[in-house]
Amino acid sequence: MSRIFSDDGKSIILALDGYSFSAETSGIDKTIGMLSELVENGVDAVIVSYGTAKIYCDVLANVPMLVRADLSTSLFDASVPGTTKLLSVEDALKMGADGIVSMTFPGGENEANSHRIAWEIAKAADDWNMPFMCETLPYGYHVTSKQSNQIEKIAAGARLGTELGADMIKTRFTGEQGDAEIIKAAKCPVFALGGPKAENIFAYFTFVKHCIDVGAKGVAIGRNITQSPNPIGMAAGLNTIIHKNGTAEEAFKVYEAHFQHAN
């Protein structure tokens, strides 16, 4: 776990695993090309798919890495209707991974299958002493109903992930003060899901600050870095909040400074 977290017990995790469950993957390969600079500006670890880890093995060799174990059952369906198990813990170990990740969908149509996948991975991960991150998403991959974004449902899903054997939880936060209940329920480190691509960067930093203030140990962020016009600035801004205990205002100033420097 110490490979995944910084010395302050927090982590900025860059999600580069989109090829496992989406056709909307623009920016991932380009972002990997600037990974060393992203690490210098605060990124602590990455989540990758099996193929991405193979293609970019030289680039990823010195970056703490979690590998995604599951795959969408329908790649061209953006809703991710379900997942199927792809990698074993042994596969992840052979790749030199520091952790393994899978999704569960509490309340979803394929709930039982996703839980079974998570439990099997958690058990094998314990046998090999490998950290397991469970991405617990009530009712499905996207927020599609009021229930799927309710604090009570998110908290129950997070606790289920822990009950299945997760060492870390990755899940939604609503932006409301009650999000602290998600942390309380999980009983293990919780990472805020990066979410859809943000148009208002200051609002996004405000959201991340809220997540950290209620007890999140960091963020697992994909599109808001990989599809950002200023990915280094995004990483540096997140670093200001998560590792330097800065404000959203300070993070936004850092973001803008990198933008101006790049131009």
Side-chain angles (χ1 to χ4, degrees), residues 90-170:
E90 289 88 347
D91 292 329
L93 286 164
K94 289 174 185 176
M95 295 163 61
D98 299 286
I100 193 165
V101 186
S102 79
M103 298 180 191
T104 65
F105 303 115
E109 184 177 346
N110 297 301
E111 177 174 6
N113 183 60
S114 67
H115 298 341
R116 187 177 299 109
I117 291 170
W119 181 83
E120 289 174 354
I121 293 170
K123 183 175 180 296
D126 281 345
D127 288 343
W128 287 101
N129 198 30
M130 170 170 272
F132 168 49
M133 172 184 280
C134 194
E135 187 170 352
T136 59
L137 305 173
Y139 296 97
Y141 183 66
H142 291 295
V143 173
T144 55
S145 66
K146 184 178 179 180
Q147 278 189 318
S148 62
N149 203 40
Q150 282 182 339
I151 291 170
E152 295 82 1
K153 297 292 193 297
I154 299 170
R159 181 54 180 262
L160 179 58
T162 304
E163 294 296 331
L164 289 168
D167 302 293
M168 299 167 282
I169 298 295
K170 173 186 174 186

Side-chain angles (χ1 to χ4, degrees), residues 16 23 25 34 36 42 49 59 64 71 73 75 80 96 106 117 127 131 138 153 155 159 163 184 194 196 213 215:
L16 300 167
T25 54
M34 56 182 77
S36 61
S49 62
V59 178
L71 178 76
T73 55
L75 185 64
V80 188
I117 291 170
D127 288 343
K153 297 292 193 297
R159 181 54 180 262
E163 294 296 331
K184 183 178 177 181
D213 286 347

Side-chain angles (χ1 to χ4, degrees), residues 7-31:
D7 291 342
D8 60 6
K10 297 175 183 176
S11 186
I12 300 170
I13 300 178
L14 175 58
L16 300 167
D17 55 335
Y19 286 102
S20 291
F21 53 86
S22 176
E24 299 175 6
T25 54
S26 64
I28 291 177
D29 295 297
K30 181 179 179 180
T31 302

Side-chain angles (χ1 to χ4, degrees), residues 27-51:
I28 291 177
D29 295 297
K30 181 179 179 180
T31 302
I32 293 172
M34 56 182 77
L35 190 55
S36 61
E37 194 173 356
L38 287 164
V39 170
E40 289 174 6
N41 283 278
V43 168
D44 297 290
V46 295
I47 301 175
V48 295
S49 62
Y50 179 74

Side-chain angles (χ1 to χ4, degrees), residues 196-202 204 224:
K197 187 173 182 296
E199 300 301 328
N200 186 323
I201 304 303
F202 176 72
Y204 187 72
N224 282 307

